[in-house]
Short mmCIF file of all heavy atoms in Angstrom, two decimals:
data_model
loop_
_atom_site.label_atom_id
_atom_site.label_comp_id
_atom_site.label_asym_id
_atom_site.label_seq_id
_atom_site.Cartn_x
_atom_site.Cartn_y
_atom_site.Cartn_z
N MET A 1 0.84 -1.20 -0.02
CA MET A 1 0.00 0.04 -0.01
C MET A 1 0.85 1.27 0.00
O MET A 1 0.51 2.26 -0.59
CB MET A 1 -0.92 0.00 1.26
CG MET A 1 -1.96 -1.13 1.25
SD MET A 1 -2.90 -1.41 -0.27
CE MET A 1 -3.27 0.17 -0.86
N ALA A 2 1.95 1.24 0.66
CA ALA A 2 2.84 2.36 0.76
C ALA A 2 3.38 2.68 -0.62
O ALA A 2 3.49 3.88 -1.01
CB ALA A 2 3.98 2.13 1.74
N ALA A 3 3.67 1.69 -1.42
CA ALA A 3 4.24 1.95 -2.76
C ALA A 3 3.18 2.60 -3.67
O ALA A 3 3.53 3.48 -4.41
CB ALA A 3 4.71 0.64 -3.38
N ILE A 4 1.93 2.19 -3.53
CA ILE A 4 0.86 2.78 -4.29
C ILE A 4 0.71 4.31 -3.93
O ILE A 4 0.61 5.12 -4.80
CB ILE A 4 -0.46 2.09 -4.11
CG1 ILE A 4 -0.37 0.64 -4.68
CG2 ILE A 4 -1.63 2.82 -4.77
CD1 ILE A 4 -1.57 -0.26 -4.38
N ALA A 5 0.73 4.55 -2.62
CA ALA A 5 0.61 5.90 -2.16
C ALA A 5 1.78 6.81 -2.67
O ALA A 5 1.60 7.86 -3.10
CB ALA A 5 0.51 5.96 -0.61
N ARG A 6 2.98 6.18 -2.56
CA ARG A 6 4.17 6.92 -3.00
C ARG A 6 4.08 7.21 -4.57
O ARG A 6 4.43 8.30 -4.99
CB ARG A 6 5.43 6.08 -2.73
CG ARG A 6 6.73 6.78 -2.99
CD ARG A 6 7.96 6.02 -2.54
NE ARG A 6 7.85 5.54 -1.21
CZ ARG A 6 7.83 4.29 -0.80
NH1 ARG A 6 7.99 3.29 -1.71
NH2 ARG A 6 7.75 3.94 0.41
N GLY A 7 3.65 6.20 -5.31
CA GLY A 7 3.48 6.39 -6.77
C GLY A 7 2.53 7.53 -7.03
O GLY A 7 2.73 8.34 -7.94
N ARG A 8 1.41 7.54 -6.32
CA ARG A 8 0.40 8.61 -6.59
C ARG A 8 1.02 9.97 -6.21
O ARG A 8 0.75 10.96 -6.90
CB ARG A 8 -0.85 8.33 -5.75
CG ARG A 8 -1.66 7.21 -6.26
CD ARG A 8 -2.87 6.89 -5.45
NE ARG A 8 -3.75 5.96 -6.04
CZ ARG A 8 -4.93 5.61 -5.57
NH1 ARG A 8 -5.35 6.15 -4.56
NH2 ARG A 8 -5.66 4.69 -6.21
N HIS A 9 1.78 10.03 -5.11
CA HIS A 9 2.38 11.29 -4.67
C HIS A 9 3.38 11.77 -5.70
O HIS A 9 3.37 12.93 -6.07
CB HIS A 9 3.03 11.07 -3.32
CG HIS A 9 3.78 12.31 -2.83
ND1 HIS A 9 3.16 13.43 -2.35
CD2 HIS A 9 5.11 12.53 -2.77
CE1 HIS A 9 4.06 14.30 -2.06
NE2 HIS A 9 5.29 13.76 -2.26
N TRP A 10 4.25 10.86 -6.18
CA TRP A 10 5.26 11.25 -7.14
C TRP A 10 4.63 11.72 -8.47
O TRP A 10 5.05 12.71 -9.02
CB TRP A 10 6.22 10.12 -7.41
CG TRP A 10 7.18 9.87 -6.27
CD1 TRP A 10 7.37 10.61 -5.18
CD2 TRP A 10 7.99 8.75 -6.15
NE1 TRP A 10 8.34 10.08 -4.34
CE2 TRP A 10 8.73 8.87 -4.88
CE3 TRP A 10 8.29 7.61 -6.91
CZ2 TRP A 10 9.67 7.96 -4.44
CZ3 TRP A 10 9.21 6.66 -6.47
CH2 TRP A 10 9.83 6.86 -5.19
N LEU A 11 3.59 11.00 -8.88
CA LEU A 11 2.90 11.42 -10.14
C LEU A 11 2.27 12.80 -9.90
O LEU A 11 2.37 13.67 -10.83
CB LEU A 11 1.78 10.42 -10.41
CG LEU A 11 0.97 10.72 -11.66
CD1 LEU A 11 1.82 10.79 -12.92
CD2 LEU A 11 -0.17 9.68 -11.82
N ALA A 12 1.64 12.99 -8.80
CA ALA A 12 1.07 14.36 -8.52
C ALA A 12 2.13 15.48 -8.50
O ALA A 12 1.85 16.55 -9.02
CB ALA A 12 0.34 14.36 -7.19
N GLU A 13 3.28 15.15 -8.00
CA GLU A 13 4.41 16.13 -8.02
C GLU A 13 4.74 16.53 -9.49
O GLU A 13 4.98 17.66 -9.75
CB GLU A 13 5.63 15.57 -7.34
CG GLU A 13 5.64 15.57 -5.86
CD GLU A 13 6.93 15.15 -5.28
OE1 GLU A 13 7.32 14.03 -5.49
OE2 GLU A 13 7.55 15.98 -4.67
N ILE A 14 4.85 15.53 -10.34
CA ILE A 14 5.17 15.77 -11.73
C ILE A 14 4.05 16.57 -12.47
O ILE A 14 4.31 17.56 -13.10
CB ILE A 14 5.49 14.44 -12.47
CG1 ILE A 14 6.83 13.88 -11.90
CG2 ILE A 14 5.59 14.71 -14.00
CD1 ILE A 14 7.08 12.48 -12.43
N VAL A 15 2.83 16.19 -12.23
CA VAL A 15 1.66 16.80 -12.86
C VAL A 15 1.54 18.23 -12.46
O VAL A 15 1.29 19.12 -13.30
CB VAL A 15 0.38 16.03 -12.58
CG1 VAL A 15 -0.87 16.83 -12.99
CG2 VAL A 15 0.39 14.70 -13.29
N ARG A 16 1.71 18.55 -11.15
CA ARG A 16 1.50 19.95 -10.74
C ARG A 16 2.79 20.77 -10.94
O ARG A 16 2.73 21.97 -10.64
CB ARG A 16 1.04 19.98 -9.30
CG ARG A 16 2.04 19.65 -8.24
CD ARG A 16 1.47 19.92 -6.84
NE ARG A 16 2.48 19.52 -5.86
CZ ARG A 16 2.45 18.36 -5.19
NH1 ARG A 16 1.44 17.51 -5.36
NH2 ARG A 16 3.42 18.06 -4.36
N GLY A 17 3.88 20.17 -11.32
CA GLY A 17 5.04 20.90 -11.67
C GLY A 17 6.07 21.06 -10.47
O GLY A 17 6.95 21.91 -10.55
N GLY A 18 5.80 20.32 -9.41
CA GLY A 18 6.77 20.39 -8.27
C GLY A 18 8.15 19.88 -8.67
O GLY A 18 9.19 20.31 -8.10
N VAL A 19 8.13 18.87 -9.55
CA VAL A 19 9.42 18.34 -10.13
C VAL A 19 9.23 18.18 -11.57
O VAL A 19 8.02 18.08 -12.07
CB VAL A 19 9.88 17.02 -9.50
CG1 VAL A 19 10.25 17.16 -8.05
CG2 VAL A 19 8.80 15.92 -9.67
N ASP A 20 10.26 18.23 -12.36
CA ASP A 20 10.16 18.11 -13.79
C ASP A 20 10.16 16.75 -14.35
O ASP A 20 9.49 16.43 -15.36
CB ASP A 20 11.28 18.95 -14.49
CG ASP A 20 11.17 20.44 -14.26
OD1 ASP A 20 10.03 20.90 -14.10
OD2 ASP A 20 12.18 21.11 -14.18
N THR A 21 10.96 15.84 -13.74
CA THR A 21 11.10 14.51 -14.33
C THR A 21 11.22 13.44 -13.22
O THR A 21 11.44 13.69 -12.04
CB THR A 21 12.42 14.43 -15.12
OG1 THR A 21 13.50 14.66 -14.22
CG2 THR A 21 12.44 15.48 -16.23
N ALA A 22 11.04 12.22 -13.68
CA ALA A 22 11.30 11.07 -12.77
C ALA A 22 12.80 11.03 -12.31
O ALA A 22 13.06 10.61 -11.22
CB ALA A 22 10.92 9.76 -13.46
N GLU A 23 13.69 11.50 -13.14
CA GLU A 23 15.04 11.57 -12.80
C GLU A 23 15.28 12.47 -11.61
O GLU A 23 16.12 12.11 -10.68
CB GLU A 23 15.91 12.06 -13.98
CG GLU A 23 17.40 12.01 -13.74
CD GLU A 23 18.25 12.41 -14.92
OE1 GLU A 23 17.71 12.64 -15.94
OE2 GLU A 23 19.46 12.41 -14.68
N ALA A 24 14.63 13.58 -11.55
CA ALA A 24 14.71 14.48 -10.40
C ALA A 24 14.28 13.82 -9.10
O ALA A 24 14.86 14.01 -8.03
CB ALA A 24 13.90 15.78 -10.61
N ILE A 25 13.19 13.05 -9.19
CA ILE A 25 12.73 12.27 -8.08
C ILE A 25 13.75 11.26 -7.61
O ILE A 25 14.06 11.06 -6.46
CB ILE A 25 11.36 11.68 -8.32
CG1 ILE A 25 10.26 12.80 -8.49
CG2 ILE A 25 10.93 10.68 -7.17
CD1 ILE A 25 8.93 12.22 -8.98
N ALA A 26 14.29 10.50 -8.65
CA ALA A 26 15.30 9.48 -8.36
C ALA A 26 16.53 10.08 -7.63
O ALA A 26 16.97 9.46 -6.65
CB ALA A 26 15.74 8.85 -9.67
N VAL A 27 16.99 11.21 -8.10
CA VAL A 27 18.14 11.87 -7.41
C VAL A 27 17.77 12.21 -6.01
O VAL A 27 18.52 11.96 -5.06
CB VAL A 27 18.60 13.12 -8.18
CG1 VAL A 27 19.55 13.96 -7.41
CG2 VAL A 27 19.14 12.69 -9.59
N ARG A 28 16.62 12.83 -5.75
CA ARG A 28 16.19 13.24 -4.44
C ARG A 28 16.01 12.02 -3.52
O ARG A 28 16.35 12.09 -2.34
CB ARG A 28 14.84 13.96 -4.53
CG ARG A 28 14.32 14.48 -3.21
CD ARG A 28 13.02 15.09 -3.29
NE ARG A 28 11.98 14.04 -3.50
CZ ARG A 28 10.79 14.19 -4.08
NH1 ARG A 28 10.45 15.34 -4.58
NH2 ARG A 28 9.96 13.20 -4.23
N GLU A 29 15.45 10.90 -4.02
CA GLU A 29 15.16 9.74 -3.27
C GLU A 29 16.35 8.84 -3.14
O GLU A 29 16.31 7.83 -2.38
CB GLU A 29 13.98 9.00 -3.79
CG GLU A 29 12.69 9.85 -3.82
CD GLU A 29 12.17 10.16 -2.41
OE1 GLU A 29 12.36 9.38 -1.51
OE2 GLU A 29 11.63 11.28 -2.26
N GLY A 30 17.39 9.03 -3.92
CA GLY A 30 18.57 8.15 -3.91
C GLY A 30 18.25 6.75 -4.53
O GLY A 30 18.75 5.77 -3.95
N CYS A 31 17.49 6.73 -5.56
CA CYS A 31 17.19 5.47 -6.24
C CYS A 31 17.31 5.61 -7.74
O CYS A 31 17.66 6.68 -8.21
CB CYS A 31 15.83 4.96 -5.80
SG CYS A 31 14.47 6.07 -6.25
N SER A 32 17.00 4.54 -8.47
CA SER A 32 17.15 4.66 -9.91
C SER A 32 15.89 5.24 -10.57
O SER A 32 14.78 5.15 -9.98
CB SER A 32 17.41 3.24 -10.50
OG SER A 32 16.25 2.43 -10.37
N VAL A 33 16.03 5.77 -11.77
CA VAL A 33 14.88 6.25 -12.49
C VAL A 33 13.91 5.08 -12.86
O VAL A 33 12.71 5.26 -12.75
CB VAL A 33 15.30 6.96 -13.87
CG1 VAL A 33 14.14 7.35 -14.66
CG2 VAL A 33 16.20 8.13 -13.54
N ARG A 34 14.46 3.96 -13.07
CA ARG A 34 13.64 2.78 -13.34
C ARG A 34 12.72 2.50 -12.14
O ARG A 34 11.54 2.17 -12.32
CB ARG A 34 14.53 1.57 -13.63
CG ARG A 34 13.73 0.29 -13.98
CD ARG A 34 14.65 -0.80 -14.52
NE ARG A 34 13.88 -1.90 -14.94
CZ ARG A 34 13.96 -3.15 -14.38
NH1 ARG A 34 14.79 -3.33 -13.44
NH2 ARG A 34 13.19 -4.08 -14.84
N HIS A 35 13.31 2.56 -10.94
CA HIS A 35 12.51 2.28 -9.79
C HIS A 35 11.38 3.35 -9.64
O HIS A 35 10.21 2.98 -9.35
CB HIS A 35 13.38 2.30 -8.51
CG HIS A 35 12.64 2.21 -7.25
ND1 HIS A 35 12.11 1.01 -6.81
CD2 HIS A 35 12.31 3.13 -6.31
CE1 HIS A 35 11.49 1.17 -5.65
NE2 HIS A 35 11.57 2.48 -5.36
N VAL A 36 11.72 4.60 -9.84
CA VAL A 36 10.69 5.65 -9.74
C VAL A 36 9.58 5.39 -10.78
O VAL A 36 8.40 5.48 -10.42
CB VAL A 36 11.34 7.02 -9.99
CG1 VAL A 36 10.27 8.12 -10.12
CG2 VAL A 36 12.32 7.37 -8.87
N ASN A 37 9.92 5.03 -11.99
CA ASN A 37 8.94 4.77 -12.98
C ASN A 37 8.07 3.54 -12.63
O ASN A 37 6.85 3.60 -12.89
CB ASN A 37 9.57 4.55 -14.37
CG ASN A 37 10.07 5.91 -14.97
OD1 ASN A 37 9.49 6.96 -14.73
ND2 ASN A 37 11.16 5.78 -15.74
N LYS A 38 8.65 2.59 -12.10
CA LYS A 38 7.88 1.37 -11.63
C LYS A 38 6.89 1.79 -10.53
O LYS A 38 5.75 1.34 -10.56
CB LYS A 38 8.80 0.24 -11.18
CG LYS A 38 9.48 -0.52 -12.29
CD LYS A 38 10.57 -1.48 -11.82
CE LYS A 38 10.15 -2.35 -10.74
NZ LYS A 38 11.14 -3.33 -10.36
N ILE A 39 7.33 2.57 -9.62
CA ILE A 39 6.39 2.97 -8.54
C ILE A 39 5.31 3.89 -9.05
O ILE A 39 4.15 3.73 -8.62
CB ILE A 39 7.23 3.62 -7.39
CG1 ILE A 39 8.28 2.62 -6.79
CG2 ILE A 39 6.31 4.18 -6.30
CD1 ILE A 39 7.61 1.39 -6.19
N ILE A 40 5.70 4.80 -9.91
CA ILE A 40 4.65 5.74 -10.51
C ILE A 40 3.60 4.90 -11.26
O ILE A 40 2.42 5.25 -11.20
CB ILE A 40 5.30 6.82 -11.36
CG1 ILE A 40 6.05 7.83 -10.51
CG2 ILE A 40 4.21 7.47 -12.23
CD1 ILE A 40 6.82 8.84 -11.30
N SER A 41 3.98 3.81 -11.93
CA SER A 41 3.03 3.03 -12.60
C SER A 41 1.94 2.46 -11.75
O SER A 41 0.84 2.24 -12.18
CB SER A 41 3.76 1.90 -13.40
OG SER A 41 4.23 0.92 -12.53
N LEU A 42 2.24 2.30 -10.45
CA LEU A 42 1.19 1.80 -9.53
C LEU A 42 0.07 2.81 -9.33
O LEU A 42 -1.01 2.43 -8.87
CB LEU A 42 1.87 1.52 -8.17
CG LEU A 42 2.92 0.39 -8.15
CD1 LEU A 42 3.53 0.25 -6.76
CD2 LEU A 42 2.32 -0.94 -8.56
N ALA A 43 0.33 4.06 -9.67
CA ALA A 43 -0.73 5.10 -9.55
C ALA A 43 -1.88 4.83 -10.54
O ALA A 43 -2.92 5.38 -10.38
CB ALA A 43 -0.13 6.48 -9.71
N PHE A 44 -1.60 3.97 -11.53
CA PHE A 44 -2.55 3.74 -12.59
C PHE A 44 -3.30 2.43 -12.39
O PHE A 44 -4.02 1.99 -13.28
CB PHE A 44 -1.87 3.76 -13.90
CG PHE A 44 -1.32 5.14 -14.25
CD1 PHE A 44 0.05 5.40 -14.07
CD2 PHE A 44 -2.12 6.15 -14.75
CE1 PHE A 44 0.57 6.64 -14.32
CE2 PHE A 44 -1.59 7.39 -15.00
CZ PHE A 44 -0.24 7.62 -14.81
N LEU A 45 -3.11 1.76 -11.23
CA LEU A 45 -3.86 0.53 -10.95
C LEU A 45 -5.35 0.81 -10.91
O LEU A 45 -5.80 1.90 -10.47
CB LEU A 45 -3.47 -0.05 -9.63
CG LEU A 45 -2.11 -0.78 -9.56
CD1 LEU A 45 -1.79 -1.18 -8.13
CD2 LEU A 45 -2.11 -1.99 -10.45
N ALA A 46 -6.09 -0.12 -11.41
CA ALA A 46 -7.58 -0.01 -11.37
C ALA A 46 -8.07 0.13 -9.91
O ALA A 46 -7.54 -0.52 -9.03
CB ALA A 46 -8.23 -1.21 -11.98
N PRO A 47 -9.05 1.02 -9.67
CA PRO A 47 -9.56 1.23 -8.36
C PRO A 47 -9.98 -0.07 -7.63
O PRO A 47 -9.75 -0.24 -6.40
CB PRO A 47 -10.77 2.13 -8.56
CG PRO A 47 -10.39 2.89 -9.82
CD PRO A 47 -9.71 1.87 -10.62
N ASP A 48 -10.61 -1.02 -8.37
CA ASP A 48 -11.02 -2.24 -7.70
C ASP A 48 -9.80 -3.08 -7.22
O ASP A 48 -9.93 -3.76 -6.22
CB ASP A 48 -11.92 -3.08 -8.61
CG ASP A 48 -11.30 -3.49 -9.91
OD1 ASP A 48 -10.49 -2.73 -10.46
OD2 ASP A 48 -11.68 -4.54 -10.44
N LEU A 49 -8.74 -2.95 -7.91
CA LEU A 49 -7.54 -3.73 -7.50
C LEU A 49 -6.93 -3.05 -6.23
O LEU A 49 -6.48 -3.73 -5.33
CB LEU A 49 -6.53 -3.78 -8.60
CG LEU A 49 -6.88 -4.59 -9.82
CD1 LEU A 49 -5.80 -4.57 -10.85
CD2 LEU A 49 -7.20 -6.04 -9.42
N VAL A 50 -6.95 -1.73 -6.15
CA VAL A 50 -6.47 -1.06 -4.97
C VAL A 50 -7.34 -1.37 -3.81
O VAL A 50 -6.83 -1.67 -2.74
CB VAL A 50 -6.39 0.47 -5.23
CG1 VAL A 50 -6.03 1.20 -3.97
CG2 VAL A 50 -5.40 0.83 -6.38
N GLU A 51 -8.67 -1.32 -4.02
CA GLU A 51 -9.57 -1.66 -2.91
C GLU A 51 -9.36 -3.11 -2.43
O GLU A 51 -9.39 -3.35 -1.25
CB GLU A 51 -10.98 -1.55 -3.36
CG GLU A 51 -11.48 -0.07 -3.53
CD GLU A 51 -12.92 -0.01 -4.08
OE1 GLU A 51 -13.60 -0.99 -3.99
OE2 GLU A 51 -13.25 1.10 -4.59
N ALA A 52 -9.11 -3.99 -3.33
CA ALA A 52 -8.84 -5.39 -2.93
C ALA A 52 -7.57 -5.52 -2.15
O ALA A 52 -7.49 -6.28 -1.19
CB ALA A 52 -8.77 -6.29 -4.20
N ALA A 53 -6.57 -4.77 -2.54
CA ALA A 53 -5.27 -4.82 -1.81
C ALA A 53 -5.47 -4.26 -0.39
O ALA A 53 -4.95 -4.83 0.52
CB ALA A 53 -4.27 -3.99 -2.60
N VAL A 54 -6.21 -3.19 -0.30
CA VAL A 54 -6.51 -2.62 1.06
C VAL A 54 -7.19 -3.63 1.89
O VAL A 54 -6.93 -3.77 3.12
CB VAL A 54 -7.27 -1.29 0.89
CG1 VAL A 54 -7.78 -0.81 2.26
CG2 VAL A 54 -6.45 -0.17 0.25
N ALA A 55 -8.15 -4.33 1.28
CA ALA A 55 -8.97 -5.29 2.03
C ALA A 55 -8.28 -6.64 2.28
O ALA A 55 -8.72 -7.52 2.98
CB ALA A 55 -10.31 -5.54 1.32
N GLY A 56 -7.12 -6.77 1.60
CA GLY A 56 -6.34 -8.05 1.69
C GLY A 56 -6.92 -9.20 0.92
O GLY A 56 -6.66 -10.37 1.23
N ARG A 57 -7.74 -8.84 -0.18
CA ARG A 57 -8.33 -9.85 -0.97
C ARG A 57 -7.41 -10.06 -2.20
O ARG A 57 -7.15 -9.11 -2.94
CB ARG A 57 -9.75 -9.48 -1.43
CG ARG A 57 -10.71 -9.39 -0.31
CD ARG A 57 -12.16 -9.11 -0.89
NE ARG A 57 -12.19 -8.23 -2.05
CZ ARG A 57 -12.46 -6.96 -2.02
NH1 ARG A 57 -12.67 -6.33 -0.84
NH2 ARG A 57 -12.49 -6.25 -3.09
N PRO A 58 -7.04 -11.29 -2.50
CA PRO A 58 -6.30 -11.55 -3.71
C PRO A 58 -7.27 -11.56 -4.93
O PRO A 58 -8.13 -12.40 -5.09
CB PRO A 58 -5.71 -12.91 -3.53
CG PRO A 58 -6.63 -13.57 -2.56
CD PRO A 58 -7.20 -12.50 -1.71
N GLU A 59 -7.24 -10.51 -5.78
CA GLU A 59 -8.17 -10.36 -6.88
C GLU A 59 -7.60 -11.05 -8.15
O GLU A 59 -8.39 -11.24 -9.09
CB GLU A 59 -8.42 -8.88 -7.18
CG GLU A 59 -9.22 -8.26 -6.12
CD GLU A 59 -10.66 -8.72 -6.11
OE1 GLU A 59 -11.34 -8.77 -7.17
OE2 GLU A 59 -11.13 -9.07 -5.04
N LEU A 60 -6.34 -11.28 -8.23
CA LEU A 60 -5.77 -11.92 -9.38
C LEU A 60 -5.10 -13.23 -9.04
O LEU A 60 -4.49 -13.39 -7.98
CB LEU A 60 -4.72 -11.03 -10.00
CG LEU A 60 -5.14 -9.65 -10.53
CD1 LEU A 60 -3.92 -8.89 -11.03
CD2 LEU A 60 -6.18 -9.82 -11.62
N SER A 61 -5.25 -14.16 -9.94
CA SER A 61 -4.58 -15.46 -9.77
C SER A 61 -3.07 -15.23 -10.12
O SER A 61 -2.70 -14.21 -10.63
CB SER A 61 -5.15 -16.54 -10.67
OG SER A 61 -4.93 -16.22 -11.99
N ARG A 62 -2.28 -16.23 -10.02
CA ARG A 62 -0.84 -16.11 -10.40
C ARG A 62 -0.66 -15.96 -11.86
O ARG A 62 0.33 -15.52 -12.28
CB ARG A 62 -0.08 -17.38 -9.91
CG ARG A 62 0.02 -17.38 -8.40
CD ARG A 62 0.83 -18.63 -8.02
NE ARG A 62 1.05 -18.55 -6.61
CZ ARG A 62 2.17 -18.71 -6.00
NH1 ARG A 62 3.25 -18.93 -6.71
NH2 ARG A 62 2.24 -18.70 -4.68
N THR A 63 -1.66 -16.28 -12.66
CA THR A 63 -1.59 -16.14 -14.11
C THR A 63 -1.93 -14.71 -14.55
O THR A 63 -1.80 -14.39 -15.72
CB THR A 63 -2.51 -17.14 -14.83
OG1 THR A 63 -3.90 -16.84 -14.47
CG2 THR A 63 -2.18 -18.58 -14.52
N GLY A 64 -2.39 -13.87 -13.62
CA GLY A 64 -2.80 -12.58 -13.96
C GLY A 64 -4.28 -12.40 -14.31
O GLY A 64 -4.70 -11.30 -14.64
N HIS A 65 -5.01 -13.46 -14.29
CA HIS A 65 -6.44 -13.42 -14.61
C HIS A 65 -7.22 -13.23 -13.35
O HIS A 65 -6.93 -13.75 -12.29
CB HIS A 65 -6.84 -14.73 -15.31
CG HIS A 65 -6.25 -14.91 -16.62
ND1 HIS A 65 -5.01 -15.51 -16.80
CD2 HIS A 65 -6.65 -14.53 -17.88
CE1 HIS A 65 -4.69 -15.51 -18.10
NE2 HIS A 65 -5.67 -14.94 -18.73
N ARG A 66 -8.30 -12.48 -13.44
CA ARG A 66 -9.21 -12.29 -12.28
C ARG A 66 -9.81 -13.58 -11.84
O ARG A 66 -10.19 -14.41 -12.67
CB ARG A 66 -10.27 -11.27 -12.67
CG ARG A 66 -9.72 -9.92 -12.82
CD ARG A 66 -10.94 -8.90 -12.99
NE ARG A 66 -10.42 -7.62 -13.32
CZ ARG A 66 -10.17 -6.69 -12.42
NH1 ARG A 66 -10.49 -6.91 -11.13
NH2 ARG A 66 -9.72 -5.49 -12.74
N ARG A 67 -9.87 -13.71 -10.57
CA ARG A 67 -10.53 -14.91 -10.01
C ARG A 67 -12.05 -14.75 -10.09
O ARG A 67 -12.56 -13.67 -9.95
CB ARG A 67 -10.10 -15.11 -8.54
CG ARG A 67 -8.66 -15.45 -8.45
CD ARG A 67 -8.28 -15.78 -7.04
NE ARG A 67 -6.89 -16.23 -6.99
CZ ARG A 67 -6.25 -16.52 -5.88
NH1 ARG A 67 -6.84 -16.37 -4.73
NH2 ARG A 67 -5.00 -16.87 -5.92
N PRO A 68 -12.75 -15.84 -10.30
CA PRO A 68 -14.22 -15.75 -10.36
C PRO A 68 -14.80 -15.44 -9.05
O PRO A 68 -14.33 -15.55 -8.04
CB PRO A 68 -14.69 -17.15 -10.81
CG PRO A 68 -13.45 -18.07 -10.68
CD PRO A 68 -12.27 -17.14 -10.54
#
């Protein structure tokens, strides 16, 4: 959950102009640009998947398909 929140925060920083690039976030956070981009991608998870994660429900099988 922390990673999803961090991704949303970093995306918001870029959108509102607080930082210009993922590289600027990477330098500030002491990590790679690849890591920043992976975390930011979590901001685009479907709301039902985020809700399931919060509730502790596994919504996807290991194959990536939704469980019935």
Side-chain angles (χ1 to χ4, degrees):
M1 294 313 320
I4 295 170
R6 187 176 308 120
R8 288 178 172 185
H9 176 73
W10 289 349
L11 178 62
E13 283 186 296
I14 292 171
V15 169
R16 73 172 177 261
V19 293
D20 293 328
T21 63
E23 184 175 359
I25 294 172
V27 168
R28 182 186 73 206
E29 300 293 327
C31 60
S32 70
V33 175
R34 182 171 186 241
H35 176 74
V36 171
N37 287 329
K38 284 172 48 176
I39 298 300
I40 288 174
S41 72
L42 297 175
F44 297 97
L45 284 174
D48 60 328
L49 294 179
V50 175
E51 288 177 18
V54 168
R57 295 186 323 262
E59 290 291 309
L60 297 177
S61 69
R62 289 182 178 230
T63 62
H65 294 86
R66 289 185 188 266
R67 292 184 176 176

